[in-house]
Amino acid sequence: MNIESVKAAYRRWARIYDVVFGPIFHPGRRHVVEALGAQPGERVLEVGVGTGLSLPLYPRGVKLTGIDISREMLDVAERRVERDGIGEDVEAIREMDAEAMDFPDDAFDRVVAMYVVSTVPDYHRLVREMRRVCKPGGDLYIVNHFQSENPVIGGIEGALAPIAKFVGFHPDFRMDHFLTETGLEAAEVRSVNLGGYWKVLHCPNPAD
Ligand SMILES: C[S@@+](CC[C@H](N)C(=O)[O-])C[C@H]1O[C@@H](n2cnc3c(N)ncnc32)[C@H](O)[C@@H]1O
């Protein structure tokens, strides 16, 4: 998948995204926001914020920034911020590549990627950037579906891999490979959504 195919996929999804992926993915979003425990005044970055479904879940006073590569997804997010009257807490909604962010180092207390790592062209670059913009000693939270260890389900997911470009994510994505390749250490892994088919990873950002 390259950035143009990601943009094309989410241009198609934007109008129906909330109906298709709103309620199904919401337990994971709620869990992350609760687990973050962000305090008023702290700065949280959501990479791949999409249509901003998670933004109203944060406690008031937490300073939120959302970025996404898809203009159409962000248009929906901006309308939500206005409609829900949370503009005071949302510092910025910006069109930006999460693999090459223009934020300075250590800009955020916590950095979150919900249902994003298997959609980006290069998750190594994504994680490197998430670490860079997160303060040392801060927290990274990642929610994603990883390929099942069940041979039958995992086999089906592997067979679906060729359609990744069209649907906008990789169904054959393994958690152990992801952690080893990025060097992330998960302090906690929780199962969420539909029978625990998705995982929430809490990865503290090591202090320098
Ligand atoms: C499955 S959606 C998740 C949206 C949202 N986080 C949620 O909870 O529903 C994945 C999002 O990641 C975005 N994305 C993919 N690659 C990206 C990149 N390199 N930089 C920024 N956003 C990206 C897509 O445009 C899409 O909006």
Side-chain angles (χ1 to χ4, degrees), residues 3 6 10 17 29 46 48-50 53 67-70 73 96-99 114-116 119-121:
I3 211 79
V6 174
Y10 285 95
Y17 186 87
R29 297 186 188 100
E46 274 212 24
V49 69
L53 281 160
I67 66 156
D68 203 283
I69 202 70
S70 165
M73 294 288 273
M96 195 190 291
D97 184 355
E99 293 182 20
M114 301 207 213
Y115 314 108
V116 176
T119 71
V120 295

mmCIF file with all atom_site columns, all heavy atoms in Angstrom, residues 3 6 10 17 29 46 48-50 53 67-70 73 96-99 114-116 119-121, ligand 1:
data_model
loop_
_atom_site.group_PDB
_atom_site.id
_atom_site.type_symbol
_atom_site.label_atom_id
_atom_site.label_alt_id
_atom_site.label_comp_id
_atom_site.label_asym_id
_atom_site.label_entity_id
_atom_site.label_seq_id
_atom_site.pdbx_PDB_ins_code
_atom_site.Cartn_x
_atom_site.Cartn_y
_atom_site.Cartn_z
_atom_site.occupancy
_atom_site.B_iso_or_equiv
_atom_site.pdbx_formal_charge
_atom_site.auth_seq_id
_atom_site.auth_comp_id
_atom_site.auth_asym_id
_atom_site.auth_atom_id
_atom_site.pdbx_PDB_model_num
ATOM   1   N N   . ILE A 1 3   ? 0.846   5.760  -0.151 1.00 0.00 ? 3   ILE A N   1
ATOM   2   C CA  . ILE A 1 3   ? 0.028   6.817  0.448  1.00 0.00 ? 3   ILE A CA  1
ATOM   3   C C   . ILE A 1 3   ? -1.169  7.164  -0.444 1.00 0.00 ? 3   ILE A C   1
ATOM   4   O O   . ILE A 1 3   ? -2.258  7.481  0.046  1.00 0.00 ? 3   ILE A O   1
ATOM   5   C CB  . ILE A 1 3   ? 0.911   8.054  0.775  1.00 0.00 ? 3   ILE A CB  1
ATOM   6   C CG1 . ILE A 1 3   ? 0.377   8.800  1.990  1.00 0.00 ? 3   ILE A CG1 1
ATOM   7   C CG2 . ILE A 1 3   ? 1.092   8.980  -0.384 1.00 0.00 ? 3   ILE A CG2 1
ATOM   8   C CD1 . ILE A 1 3   ? 0.700   8.202  3.293  1.00 0.00 ? 3   ILE A CD1 1
ATOM   9   N N   . VAL A 1 6   ? -3.894  4.638  0.122  1.00 0.00 ? 6   VAL A N   1
ATOM   10  C CA  . VAL A 1 6   ? -4.542  4.892  1.417  1.00 0.00 ? 6   VAL A CA  1
ATOM   11  C C   . VAL A 1 6   ? -5.548  6.041  1.273  1.00 0.00 ? 6   VAL A C   1
ATOM   12  O O   . VAL A 1 6   ? -6.698  5.953  1.693  1.00 0.00 ? 6   VAL A O   1
ATOM   13  C CB  . VAL A 1 6   ? -3.499  5.235  2.519  1.00 0.00 ? 6   VAL A CB  1
ATOM   14  C CG1 . VAL A 1 6   ? -4.190  5.631  3.813  1.00 0.00 ? 6   VAL A CG1 1
ATOM   15  C CG2 . VAL A 1 6   ? -2.561  4.063  2.758  1.00 0.00 ? 6   VAL A CG2 1
ATOM   16  N N   . TYR A 1 10  ? -9.669  5.776  1.793  1.00 0.00 ? 10  TYR A N   1
ATOM   17  C CA  . TYR A 1 10  ? -10.437 6.516  2.809  1.00 0.00 ? 10  TYR A CA  1
ATOM   18  C C   . TYR A 1 10  ? -11.285 7.636  2.207  1.00 0.00 ? 10  TYR A C   1
ATOM   19  O O   . TYR A 1 10  ? -12.237 8.090  2.838  1.00 0.00 ? 10  TYR A O   1
ATOM   20  C CB  . TYR A 1 10  ? -9.510  6.969  3.951  1.00 0.00 ? 10  TYR A CB  1
ATOM   21  C CG  . TYR A 1 10  ? -9.195  5.745  4.795  1.00 0.00 ? 10  TYR A CG  1
ATOM   22  C CD1 . TYR A 1 10  ? -8.040  5.002  4.578  1.00 0.00 ? 10  TYR A CD1 1
ATOM   23  C CD2 . TYR A 1 10  ? -10.118 5.266  5.711  1.00 0.00 ? 10  TYR A CD2 1
ATOM   24  C CE1 . TYR A 1 10  ? -7.801  3.835  5.277  1.00 0.00 ? 10  TYR A CE1 1
ATOM   25  C CE2 . TYR A 1 10  ? -9.882  4.098  6.410  1.00 0.00 ? 10  TYR A CE2 1
ATOM   26  C CZ  . TYR A 1 10  ? -8.728  3.385  6.197  1.00 0.00 ? 10  TYR A CZ  1
ATOM   27  O OH  . TYR A 1 10  ? -8.520  2.219  6.883  1.00 0.00 ? 10  TYR A OH  1
ATOM   28  N N   . TYR A 1 17  ? -18.036 5.750  6.891  1.00 0.00 ? 17  TYR A N   1
ATOM   29  C CA  . TYR A 1 17  ? -17.144 5.197  7.909  1.00 0.00 ? 17  TYR A CA  1
ATOM   30  C C   . TYR A 1 17  ? -17.821 5.086  9.280  1.00 0.00 ? 17  TYR A C   1
ATOM   31  O O   . TYR A 1 17  ? -17.748 4.054  9.950  1.00 0.00 ? 17  TYR A O   1
ATOM   32  C CB  . TYR A 1 17  ? -15.876 6.056  8.020  1.00 0.00 ? 17  TYR A CB  1
ATOM   33  C CG  . TYR A 1 17  ? -14.859 5.437  8.955  1.00 0.00 ? 17  TYR A CG  1
ATOM   34  C CD1 . TYR A 1 17  ? -13.930 4.510  8.493  1.00 0.00 ? 17  TYR A CD1 1
ATOM   35  C CD2 . TYR A 1 17  ? -14.844 5.749  10.321 1.00 0.00 ? 17  TYR A CD2 1
ATOM   36  C CE1 . TYR A 1 17  ? -13.017 3.914  9.343  1.00 0.00 ? 17  TYR A CE1 1
ATOM   37  C CE2 . TYR A 1 17  ? -13.934 5.154  11.179 1.00 0.00 ? 17  TYR A CE2 1
ATOM   38  C CZ  . TYR A 1 17  ? -13.027 4.241  10.680 1.00 0.00 ? 17  TYR A CZ  1
ATOM   39  O OH  . TYR A 1 17  ? -12.142 3.637  11.540 1.00 0.00 ? 17  TYR A OH  1
ATOM   40  N N   . ARG A 1 29  ? -11.977 2.241  21.463 1.00 0.00 ? 29  ARG A N   1
ATOM   41  C CA  . ARG A 1 29  ? -11.711 3.681  21.640 1.00 0.00 ? 29  ARG A CA  1
ATOM   42  C C   . ARG A 1 29  ? -11.938 4.075  23.098 1.00 0.00 ? 29  ARG A C   1
ATOM   43  O O   . ARG A 1 29  ? -11.137 4.782  23.710 1.00 0.00 ? 29  ARG A O   1
ATOM   44  C CB  . ARG A 1 29  ? -12.640 4.514  20.736 1.00 0.00 ? 29  ARG A CB  1
ATOM   45  C CG  . ARG A 1 29  ? -12.447 4.278  19.254 1.00 0.00 ? 29  ARG A CG  1
ATOM   46  C CD  . ARG A 1 29  ? -13.278 5.242  18.401 1.00 0.00 ? 29  ARG A CD  1
ATOM   47  N NE  . ARG A 1 29  ? -13.218 4.857  16.999 1.00 0.00 ? 29  ARG A NE  1
ATOM   48  C CZ  . ARG A 1 29  ? -14.159 4.176  16.350 1.00 0.00 ? 29  ARG A CZ  1
ATOM   49  N NH1 . ARG A 1 29  ? -15.284 3.819  16.970 1.00 0.00 ? 29  ARG A NH1 1
ATOM   50  N NH2 . ARG A 1 29  ? -14.006 3.856  15.088 1.00 0.00 ? 29  ARG A NH2 1
ATOM   51  N N   . GLU A 1 46  ? -3.554  12.178 18.417 1.00 0.00 ? 46  GLU A N   1
ATOM   52  C CA  . GLU A 1 46  ? -4.102  10.981 17.758 1.00 0.00 ? 46  GLU A CA  1
ATOM   53  C C   . GLU A 1 46  ? -3.649  10.989 16.318 1.00 0.00 ? 46  GLU A C   1
ATOM   54  O O   . GLU A 1 46  ? -4.032  11.874 15.544 1.00 0.00 ? 46  GLU A O   1
ATOM   55  C CB  . GLU A 1 46  ? -5.638  10.975 17.824 1.00 0.00 ? 46  GLU A CB  1
ATOM   56  C CG  . GLU A 1 46  ? -6.140  10.365 19.091 1.00 0.00 ? 46  GLU A CG  1
ATOM   57  C CD  . GLU A 1 46  ? -7.485  9.647  18.908 1.00 0.00 ? 46  GLU A CD  1
ATOM   58  O OE1 . GLU A 1 46  ? -7.823  9.232  17.790 1.00 0.00 ? 46  GLU A OE1 1
ATOM   59  O OE2 . GLU A 1 46  ? -8.177  9.543  19.925 1.00 0.00 ? 46  GLU A OE2 1
ATOM   60  N N   . GLY A 1 48  ? -3.848  9.365  12.619 1.00 0.00 ? 48  GLY A N   1
ATOM   61  C CA  . GLY A 1 48  ? -4.923  8.656  11.911 1.00 0.00 ? 48  GLY A CA  1
ATOM   62  C C   . GLY A 1 48  ? -6.231  8.835  12.654 1.00 0.00 ? 48  GLY A C   1
ATOM   63  O O   . GLY A 1 48  ? -6.976  7.883  12.853 1.00 0.00 ? 48  GLY A O   1
ATOM   64  N N   . VAL A 1 49  ? -6.527  10.086 13.011 1.00 0.00 ? 49  VAL A N   1
ATOM   65  C CA  . VAL A 1 49  ? -7.729  10.375 13.825 1.00 0.00 ? 49  VAL A CA  1
ATOM   66  C C   . VAL A 1 49  ? -9.014  10.101 13.053 1.00 0.00 ? 49  VAL A C   1
ATOM   67  O O   . VAL A 1 49  ? -10.082 9.920  13.635 1.00 0.00 ? 49  VAL A O   1
ATOM   68  C CB  . VAL A 1 49  ? -7.685  11.831 14.342 1.00 0.00 ? 49  VAL A CB  1
ATOM   69  C CG1 . VAL A 1 49  ? -7.853  12.836 13.198 1.00 0.00 ? 49  VAL A CG1 1
ATOM   70  C CG2 . VAL A 1 49  ? -8.734  12.082 15.424 1.00 0.00 ? 49  VAL A CG2 1
ATOM   71  N N   . GLY A 1 50  ? -8.902  10.045 11.720 1.00 0.00 ? 50  GLY A N   1
ATOM   72  C CA  . GLY A 1 50  ? -10.064 9.705  10.889 1.00 0.00 ? 50  GLY A CA  1
ATOM   73  C C   . GLY A 1 50  ? -11.186 10.717 11.050 1.00 0.00 ? 50  GLY A C   1
ATOM   74  O O   . GLY A 1 50  ? -10.969 11.935 10.975 1.00 0.00 ? 50  GLY A O   1
ATOM   75  N N   . LEU A 1 53  ? -14.059 10.072 15.760 1.00 0.00 ? 53  LEU A N   1
ATOM   76  C CA  . LEU A 1 53  ? -15.062 9.423  16.627 1.00 0.00 ? 53  LEU A CA  1
ATOM   77  C C   . LEU A 1 53  ? -14.628 9.385  18.099 1.00 0.00 ? 53  LEU A C   1
ATOM   78  O O   . LEU A 1 53  ? -15.469 9.372  18.999 1.00 0.00 ? 53  LEU A O   1
ATOM   79  C CB  . LEU A 1 53  ? -15.310 7.992  16.138 1.00 0.00 ? 53  LEU A CB  1
ATOM   80  C CG  . LEU A 1 53  ? -16.231 7.874  14.928 1.00 0.00 ? 53  LEU A CG  1
ATOM   81  C CD1 . LEU A 1 53  ? -16.031 6.527  14.229 1.00 0.00 ? 53  LEU A CD1 1
ATOM   82  C CD2 . LEU A 1 53  ? -17.687 8.038  15.345 1.00 0.00 ? 53  LEU A CD2 1
ATOM   83  N N   . ILE A 1 67  ? -4.350  14.150 13.598 1.00 0.00 ? 67  ILE A N   1
ATOM   84  C CA  . ILE A 1 67  ? -3.861  14.288 12.216 1.00 0.00 ? 67  ILE A CA  1
ATOM   85  C C   . ILE A 1 67  ? -4.320  13.086 11.402 1.00 0.00 ? 67  ILE A C   1
ATOM   86  O O   . ILE A 1 67  ? -4.561  12.002 11.944 1.00 0.00 ? 67  ILE A O   1
ATOM   87  C CB  . ILE A 1 67  ? -2.319  14.403 12.141 1.00 0.00 ? 67  ILE A CB  1
ATOM   88  C CG1 . ILE A 1 67  ? -1.646  13.097 12.592 1.00 0.00 ? 67  ILE A CG1 1
ATOM   89  C CG2 . ILE A 1 67  ? -1.805  15.581 12.924 1.00 0.00 ? 67  ILE A CG2 1
ATOM   90  C CD1 . ILE A 1 67  ? -0.265  12.916 12.023 1.00 0.00 ? 67  ILE A CD1 1
ATOM   91  N N   . ASP A 1 68  ? -4.423  13.314 10.106 1.00 0.00 ? 68  ASP A N   1
ATOM   92  C CA  . ASP A 1 68  ? -4.794  12.217 9.198  1.00 0.00 ? 68  ASP A CA  1
ATOM   93  C C   . ASP A 1 68  ? -4.334  12.590 7.798  1.00 0.00 ? 68  ASP A C   1
ATOM   94  O O   . ASP A 1 68  ? -4.179  13.765 7.476  1.00 0.00 ? 68  ASP A O   1
ATOM   95  C CB  . ASP A 1 68  ? -6.312  11.996 9.215  1.00 0.00 ? 68  ASP A CB  1
ATOM   96  C CG  . ASP A 1 68  ? -6.682  10.588 8.770  1.00 0.00 ? 68  ASP A CG  1
ATOM   97  O OD1 . ASP A 1 68  ? -6.652  10.308 7.547  1.00 0.00 ? 68  ASP A OD1 1
ATOM   98  O OD2 . ASP A 1 68  ? -7.002  9.753  9.640  1.00 0.00 ? 68  ASP A OD2 1
ATOM   99  N N   . ILE A 1 69  ? -4.153  11.566 6.988  1.00 0.00 ? 69  ILE A N   1
ATOM   100 C CA  . ILE A 1 69  ? -3.706  11.787 5.611  1.00 0.00 ? 69  ILE A CA  1
ATOM   101 C C   . ILE A 1 69  ? -4.905  12.029 4.689  1.00 0.00 ? 69  ILE A C   1
ATOM   102 O O   . ILE A 1 69  ? -4.748  12.501 3.570  1.00 0.00 ? 69  ILE A O   1
ATOM   103 C CB  . ILE A 1 69  ? -2.870  10.581 5.128  1.00 0.00 ? 69  ILE A CB  1
ATOM   104 C CG1 . ILE A 1 69  ? -1.964  10.961 3.976  1.00 0.00 ? 69  ILE A CG1 1
ATOM   105 C CG2 . ILE A 1 69  ? -3.736  9.378  4.784  1.00 0.00 ? 69  ILE A CG2 1
ATOM   106 C CD1 . ILE A 1 69  ? -0.854  11.860 4.359  1.00 0.00 ? 69  ILE A CD1 1
ATOM   107 N N   . SER A 1 70  ? -6.106  11.703 5.167  1.00 0.00 ? 70  SER A N   1
ATOM   108 C CA  . SER A 1 70  ? -7.296  11.805 4.316  1.00 0.00 ? 70  SER A CA  1
ATOM   109 C C   . SER A 1 70  ? -8.088  13.079 4.612  1.00 0.00 ? 70  SER A C   1
ATOM   110 O O   . SER A 1 70  ? -8.649  13.236 5.694  1.00 0.00 ? 70  SER A O   1
ATOM   111 C CB  . SER A 1 70  ? -8.203  10.580 4.545  1.00 0.00 ? 70  SER A CB  1
ATOM   112 O OG  . SER A 1 70  ? -9.483  10.814 4.001  1.00 0.00 ? 70  SER A OG  1
ATOM   113 N N   . MET A 1 73  ? -11.807 12.319 5.445  1.00 0.00 ? 73  MET A N   1
ATOM   114 C CA  . MET A 1 73  ? -12.046 11.854 6.820  1.00 0.00 ? 73  MET A CA  1
ATOM   115 C C   . MET A 1 73  ? -11.977 13.052 7.782  1.00 0.00 ? 73  MET A C   1
ATOM   116 O O   . MET A 1 73  ? -12.809 13.191 8.687  1.00 0.00 ? 73  MET A O   1
ATOM   117 C CB  . MET A 1 73  ? -11.011 10.791 7.216  1.00 0.00 ? 73  MET A CB  1
ATOM   118 C CG  . MET A 1 73  ? -11.101 9.493  6.425  1.00 0.00 ? 73  MET A CG  1
ATOM   119 S SD  . MET A 1 73  ? -12.528 8.451  6.820  1.00 0.00 ? 73  MET A SD  1
ATOM   120 C CE  . MET A 1 73  ? -11.887 7.498  8.207  1.00 0.00 ? 73  MET A CE  1
ATOM   121 N N   . MET A 1 96  ? -1.892  15.578 7.633  1.00 0.00 ? 96  MET A N   1
ATOM   122 C CA  . MET A 1 96  ? -0.446  15.367 7.787  1.00 0.00 ? 96  MET A CA  1
ATOM   123 C C   . MET A 1 96  ? -0.153  13.878 7.703  1.00 0.00 ? 96  MET A C   1
ATOM   124 O O   . MET A 1 96  ? -0.950  13.056 8.151  1.00 0.00 ? 96  MET A O   1
ATOM   125 C CB  . MET A 1 96  ? -0.009  15.896 9.161  1.00 0.00 ? 96  MET A CB  1
ATOM   126 C CG  . MET A 1 96  ? 1.477   16.067 9.337  1.00 0.00 ? 96  MET A CG  1
ATOM   127 S SD  . MET A 1 96  ? 1.934   16.424 11.069 1.00 0.00 ? 96  MET A SD  1
ATOM   128 C CE  . MET A 1 96  ? 1.285   18.043 11.329 1.00 0.00 ? 96  MET A CE  1
ATOM   129 N N   . ASP A 1 97  ? 1.009   13.552 7.159  1.00 0.00 ? 97  ASP A N   1
ATOM   130 C CA  . ASP A 1 97  ? 1.455   12.166 7.089  1.00 0.00 ? 97  ASP A CA  1
ATOM   131 C C   . ASP A 1 97  ? 2.065   11.773 8.438  1.00 0.00 ? 97  ASP A C   1
ATOM   132 O O   . ASP A 1 97  ? 3.062   12.376 8.867  1.00 0.00 ? 97  ASP A O   1
ATOM   133 C CB  . ASP A 1 97  ? 2.495   12.032 5.966  1.00 0.00 ? 97  ASP A CB  1
ATOM   134 C CG  . ASP A 1 97  ? 2.945   10.597 5.749  1.00 0.00 ? 97  ASP A CG  1
ATOM   135 O OD1 . ASP A 1 97  ? 2.525   9.705  6.525  1.00 0.00 ? 97  ASP A OD1 1
ATOM   136 O OD2 . ASP A 1 97  ? 3.721   10.376 4.802  1.00 0.00 ? 97  ASP A OD2 1
ATOM   137 N N   . ALA A 1 98  ? 1.487   10.782 9.077  1.00 0.00 ? 98  ALA A N   1
ATOM   138 C CA  . ALA A 1 98  ? 1.978   10.359 10.398 1.00 0.00 ? 98  ALA A CA  1
ATOM   139 C C   . ALA A 1 98  ? 3.366   9.739  10.315 1.00 0.00 ? 98  ALA A C   1
ATOM   140 O O   . ALA A 1 98  ? 4.029   9.562  11.331 1.00 0.00 ? 98  ALA A O   1
ATOM   141 C CB  . ALA A 1 98  ? 0.996   9.363  11.019 1.00 0.00 ? 98  ALA A CB  1
ATOM   142 N N   . GLU A 1 99  ? 3.815   9.421  9.112  1.00 0.00 ? 99  GLU A N   1
ATOM   143 C CA  . GLU A 1 99  ? 5.161   8.861  8.961  1.00 0.00 ? 99  GLU A CA  1
ATOM   144 C C   . GLU A 1 99  ? 6.219   9.959  8.839  1.00 0.00 ? 99  GLU A C   1
ATOM   145 O O   . GLU A 1 99  ? 7.412   9.665  8.814  1.00 0.00 ? 99  GLU A O   1
ATOM   146 C CB  . GLU A 1 99  ? 5.220   7.979  7.709  1.00 0.00 ? 99  GLU A CB  1
ATOM   147 C CG  . GLU A 1 99  ? 4.377   6.736  7.822  1.00 0.00 ? 99  GLU A CG  1
ATOM   148 C CD  . GLU A 1 99  ? 4.490   5.860  6.584  1.00 0.00 ? 99  GLU A CD  1
ATOM   149 O OE1 . GLU A 1 99  ? 5.461   5.993  5.821  1.00 0.00 ? 99  GLU A OE1 1
ATOM   150 O OE2 . GLU A 1 99  ? 3.575   5.042  6.380  1.00 0.00 ? 99  GLU A OE2 1
ATOM   151 N N   . MET A 1 114 ? -5.246  4.561  16.810 1.00 0.00 ? 114 MET A N   1
ATOM   152 C CA  . MET A 1 114 ? -6.354  3.606  16.907 1.00 0.00 ? 114 MET A CA  1
ATOM   153 C C   . MET A 1 114 ? -6.716  3.098  15.520 1.00 0.00 ? 114 MET A C   1
ATOM   154 O O   . MET A 1 114 ? -7.118  3.876  14.652 1.00 0.00 ? 114 MET A O   1
ATOM   155 C CB  . MET A 1 114 ? -7.580  4.271  17.527 1.00 0.00 ? 114 MET A CB  1
ATOM   156 C CG  . MET A 1 114 ? -7.329  4.819  18.922 1.00 0.00 ? 114 MET A CG  1
ATOM   157 S SD  . MET A 1 114 ? -8.854  4.857  19.846 1.00 0.00 ? 114 MET A SD  1
ATOM   158 C CE  . MET A 1 114 ? -8.609  6.315  20.860 1.00 0.00 ? 114 MET A CE  1
ATOM   159 N N   . TYR A 1 115 ? -6.532  1.812  15.308 1.00 0.00 ? 115 TYR A N   1
ATOM   160 C CA  . TYR A 1 115 ? -6.876  1.154  14.041 1.00 0.00 ? 115 TYR A CA  1
ATOM   161 C C   . TYR A 1 115 ? -6.106  1.769  12.871 1.00 0.00 ? 115 TYR A C   1
ATOM   162 O O   . TYR A 1 115 ? -6.653  1.991  11.796 1.00 0.00 ? 115 TYR A O   1
ATOM   163 C CB  . TYR A 1 115 ? -8.396  1.250  13.795 1.00 0.00 ? 115 TYR A CB  1
ATOM   164 C CG  . TYR A 1 115 ? -9.218  0.902  15.008 1.00 0.00 ? 115 TYR A CG  1
ATOM   165 C CD1 . TYR A 1 115 ? -9.907  1.882  15.721 1.00 0.00 ? 115 TYR A CD1 1
ATOM   166 C CD2 . TYR A 1 115 ? -9.282  -0.414 15.457 1.00 0.00 ? 115 TYR A CD2 1
ATOM   167 C CE1 . TYR A 1 115 ? -10.640 1.557  16.857 1.00 0.00 ? 115 TYR A CE1 1
ATOM   168 C CE2 . TYR A 1 115 ? -10.010 -0.743 16.602 1.00 0.00 ? 115 TYR A CE2 1
ATOM   169 C CZ  . TYR A 1 115 ? -10.684 0.252  17.293 1.00 0.00 ? 115 TYR A CZ  1
ATOM   170 O OH  . TYR A 1 115 ? -11.405 -0.067 18.416 1.00 0.00 ? 115 TYR A OH  1
ATOM   171 N N   . VAL A 1 116 ? -4.843  2.072  13.114 1.00 0.00 ? 116 VAL A N   1
ATOM   172 C CA  . VAL A 1 116 ? -4.053  2.788  12.108 1.00 0.00 ? 116 VAL A CA  1
ATOM   173 C C   . VAL A 1 116 ? -2.828  2.001  11.636 1.00 0.00 ? 116 VAL A C   1
ATOM   174 O O   . VAL A 1 116 ? -2.495  2.034  10.450 1.00 0.00 ? 116 VAL A O   1
ATOM   175 C CB  . VAL A 1 116 ? -3.586  4.160  12.676 1.00 0.00 ? 116 VAL A CB  1
ATOM   176 C CG1 . VAL A 1 116 ? -2.680  4.886  11.697 1.00 0.00 ? 116 VAL A CG1 1
ATOM   177 C CG2 . VAL A 1 116 ? -4.780  5.041  13.006 1.00 0.00 ? 116 VAL A CG2 1
ATOM   178 N N   . THR A 1 119 ? -2.844  0.214  8.461  1.00 0.00 ? 119 THR A N   1
ATOM   179 C CA  . THR A 1 119 ? -3.312  0.936  7.271  1.00 0.00 ? 119 THR A CA  1
ATOM   180 C C   . THR A 1 119 ? -2.197  1.780  6.651  1.00 0.00 ? 119 THR A C   1
ATOM   181 O O   . THR A 1 119 ? -2.294  2.154  5.492  1.00 0.00 ? 119 THR A O   1
ATOM   182 C CB  . THR A 1 119 ? -4.488  1.894  7.596  1.00 0.00 ? 119 THR A CB  1
ATOM   183 O OG1 . THR A 1 119 ? -4.000  2.996  8.366  1.00 0.00 ? 119 THR A OG1 1
ATOM   184 C CG2 . THR A 1 119 ? -5.580  1.191  8.362  1.00 0.00 ? 119 THR A CG2 1
ATOM   185 N N   . VAL A 1 120 ? -1.154  2.104  7.428  1.00 0.00 ? 120 VAL A N   1
ATOM   186 C CA  . VAL A 1 120 ? -0.129  3.016  6.899  1.00 0.00 ? 120 VAL A CA  1
ATOM   187 C C   . VAL A 1 120 ? 0.810   2.261  5.958  1.00 0.00 ? 120 VAL A C   1
ATOM   188 O O   . VAL A 1 120 ? 0.999   1.055  6.102  1.00 0.00 ? 120 VAL A O   1
ATOM   189 C CB  . VAL A 1 120 ? 0.710   3.669  8.039  1.00 0.00 ? 120 VAL A CB  1
ATOM   190 C CG1 . VAL A 1 120 ? -0.141  4.558  8.904  1.00 0.00 ? 120 VAL A CG1 1
ATOM   191 C CG2 . VAL A 1 120 ? 1.412   2.615  8.878  1.00 0.00 ? 120 VAL A CG2 1
ATOM   192 N N   . PRO A 1 121 ? 1.411   2.972  5.010  1.00 0.00 ? 121 PRO A N   1
ATOM   193 C CA  . PRO A 1 121 ? 2.346   2.310  4.106  1.00 0.00 ? 121 PRO A CA  1
ATOM   194 C C   . PRO A 1 121 ? 3.542   1.686  4.843  1.00 0.00 ? 121 PRO A C   1
ATOM   195 O O   . PRO A 1 121 ? 4.003   0.614  4.478  1.00 0.00 ? 121 PRO A O   1
ATOM   196 C CB  . PRO A 1 121 ? 2.797   3.445  3.170  1.00 0.00 ? 121 PRO A CB  1
ATOM   197 C CG  . PRO A 1 121 ? 1.641   4.399  3.169  1.00 0.00 ? 121 PRO A CG  1
ATOM   198 C CD  . PRO A 1 121 ? 1.081   4.351  4.561  1.00 0.00 ? 121 PRO A CD  1
HETATM 199 C C1  . LIG B 2 .   ? -9.292  2.610  10.096 1.00 0.00 ? 1   LIG B C1  1
HETATM 200 S S1  . LIG B 2 .   ? -9.156  4.348  10.103 1.00 0.00 ? 1   LIG B S1  1
HETATM 201 C C2  . LIG B 2 .   ? -9.147  4.699  11.856 1.00 0.00 ? 1   LIG B C2  1
HETATM 202 C C3  . LIG B 2 .   ? -9.756  6.042  12.175 1.00 0.00 ? 1   LIG B C3  1
HETATM 203 C C4  . LIG B 2 .   ? -9.929  6.347  13.671 1.00 0.00 ? 1   LIG B C4  1
HETATM 204 N N1  . LIG B 2 .   ? -8.667  6.297  14.376 1.00 0.00 ? 1   LIG B N1  1
HETATM 205 C C5  . LIG B 2 .   ? -10.946 5.460  14.335 1.00 0.00 ? 1   LIG B C5  1
HETATM 206 O O1  . LIG B 2 .   ? -10.793 5.165  15.531 1.00 0.00 ? 1   LIG B O1  1
HETATM 207 O O2  . LIG B 2 .   ? -11.938 5.103  13.714 1.00 0.00 ? 1   LIG B O2  1
HETATM 208 C C6  . LIG B 2 .   ? -7.452  4.576  9.669  1.00 0.00 ? 1   LIG B C6  1
HETATM 209 C C7  . LIG B 2 .   ? -7.093  6.041  9.428  1.00 0.00 ? 1   LIG B C7  1
HETATM 210 O O3  . LIG B 2 .   ? -5.663  6.158  9.315  1.00 0.00 ? 1   LIG B O3  1
HETATM 211 C C8  . LIG B 2 .   ? -5.396  7.133  8.314  1.00 0.00 ? 1   LIG B C8  1
HETATM 212 N N2  . LIG B 2 .   ? -4.024  6.977  7.816  1.00 0.00 ? 1   LIG B N2  1
HETATM 213 C C9  . LIG B 2 .   ? -3.507  5.937  7.123  1.00 0.00 ? 1   LIG B C9  1
HETATM 214 N N3  . LIG B 2 .   ? -2.206  6.174  6.826  1.00 0.00 ? 1   LIG B N3  1
HETATM 215 C C10 . LIG B 2 .   ? -1.900  7.384  7.356  1.00 0.00 ? 1   LIG B C10 1
HETATM 216 C C11 . LIG B 2 .   ? -0.713  8.169  7.404  1.00 0.00 ? 1   LIG B C11 1
HETATM 217 N N4  . LIG B 2 .   ? 0.431   7.768  6.836  1.00 0.00 ? 1   LIG B N4  1
HETATM 218 N N5  . LIG B 2 .   ? -0.755  9.353  8.038  1.00 0.00 ? 1   LIG B N5  1
HETATM 219 C C12 . LIG B 2 .   ? -1.898  9.785  8.634  1.00 0.00 ? 1   LIG B C12 1
HETATM 220 N N6  . LIG B 2 .   ? -3.059  9.084  8.615  1.00 0.00 ? 1   LIG B N6  1
HETATM 221 C C13 . LIG B 2 .   ? -3.057  7.901  7.993  1.00 0.00 ? 1   LIG B C13 1
HETATM 222 C C14 . LIG B 2 .   ? -6.476  6.876  7.269  1.00 0.00 ? 1   LIG B C14 1
HETATM 223 O O4  . LIG B 2 .   ? -6.640  7.982  6.399  1.00 0.00 ? 1   LIG B O4  1
HETATM 224 C C15 . LIG B 2 .   ? -7.698  6.608  8.149  1.00 0.00 ? 1   LIG B C15 1
HETATM 225 O O5  . LIG B 2 .   ? -8.421  7.771  8.437  1.00 0.00 ? 1   LIG B O5  1
#
